[in-house]
Amino acid sequence: MIHQTAIISKDAVIEDNVEIGPYTVIGPDTVIKSGTKIHGQCVIEYAQIGKNCEIFNFSSIGKRPQDLKYQGEHTKVIVGDNTTIREGVTLNRGTAAAGQTVVGNNCLLMACAHIAHDCIIKDNVIVGYSTGIAGHVEIDDGAILSASIGVHQFCKIGKSVIIGAGSMINMDIIPYVTVQGDRAVLVGLNLIGLKRKKVKFSEIEDIKSAYRILFMSKLSLEDAIAKLEESNSLYVKDITDFIKRSQRGITRPK
């Protein structure tokens, strides 16, 4: 299961049923959990890779962050279970700020995507071809980023967001919406995604109402949030909690 040309550090931990292809290098302080397949000519170090992942050729995981403040401190990358990392992905380890870069379970990072230091990518996230995510970005469950997107450092992207190809993200994006453009603007709700997730009709109506209050009423943002906090909807609470945590400000309609 491990090709004879693979180079594996003496302190790496390789669990049972792991496949490692030719000319791959597994560096120090690395754990590869059972059932994971690593194709040829990958480099992985200072990383923990979960169960049943698949990592394709030429990917680089755990190399030092591209941050001039990094001074060689001991940090790592953590990848959850059942995640697929396609060809040429770069996934840098953390800095002293957070100590780790995290990718969750059941994610798909398409070819040539870049995930920078200290990012937190939660479960069931898709990152499209050649998309670049700068440092300290947080992406919540179920978000979909299409191809050739740029995400500014420290941005937060909410649950079940979908971002159109070629978008440039420089502000936070509330949950359950669709954005696109350079600079990206909010263009509506991700209704298709919500229906695919079998969200109830009544709950989708709650989200629609919240959208109208936030962006179509004449209320200030503070007054709109106060009104939305009267709702019992957990989906609306996701939106209000997200806005209250935002530090960069939220993406709005044009």
Side-chain angles (χ1 to χ4, degrees), residues 51-221:
K51 296 179 180 179
N52 303 312
C53 295
E54 188 167 10
I55 301 172
F56 284 77
N57 311 72
F58 312 113
S59 291
S60 174
I61 298 173
K63 300 298 286 186
R64 63 180 293 156
Q66 299 172 66
D67 185 333
L68 296 176
K69 297 187 297 298
Y70 180 74
Q71 297 298 316
E73 54 268 24
H74 186 272
T75 59
K76 63 171 54 181
V77 168
I78 298 175
V79 176
D81 299 337
N82 306 305
T83 283
T84 299
I85 298 175
R86 293 304 306 249
E87 296 83 355
V89 167
T90 53
L91 180 51
N92 294 159
R93 65 183 186 264
T95 68
Q100 59 189 25
T101 302
V102 179
V103 175
N105 302 315
N106 306 303
C107 293
L108 169 59
L109 309 183
M110 293 187 187
C112 301
H114 172 67
I115 312 294
H117 58 88
D118 303 298
C119 287
I120 299 174
I121 313 297
K122 294 190 177 179
D123 298 341
N124 303 298
V125 169
I126 297 173
V127 178
Y129 169 78
S130 198
T131 283
I133 299 174
H136 309 279
V137 168
E138 298 180 19
I139 302 178
D140 214 335
D141 297 336
I144 299 175
L145 286 69
S146 303
S148 302
I149 290 168
V151 183
H152 194 282
Q153 62 184 351
F154 293 101
C155 282
K156 294 178 173 59
I157 296 172
K159 292 179 181 177
S160 299
V161 163
I162 186 165
I163 303 176
S167 297
M168 295 291 112
I169 309 303
N170 65 343
M171 301 185 79
D172 297 341
I173 302 173
I174 66 170
Y176 314 122
V177 299
T178 299
V179 301
Q180 64 184 33
D182 178 10
R183 296 303 190 250
V185 295
L186 198 156
V187 294
L189 293 172
N190 182 14
L191 295 176
I192 293 175
L194 291 169
K195 290 172 183 177
R196 286 176 177 170
K197 294 177 187 298
K198 303 188 186 310
V199 177
K200 294 178 181 177
F201 176 79
S202 61
E203 292 167 332
I204 292 176
E205 291 300 304
D206 288 337
I207 297 169
K208 287 181 178 179
S209 176
Y211 184 95
R212 287 192 291 268
I213 290 168
L214 282 168
F215 302 116
M216 298 178 181
S217 73
K218 295 183 178 180
L219 294 174
S220 68
L221 183 61

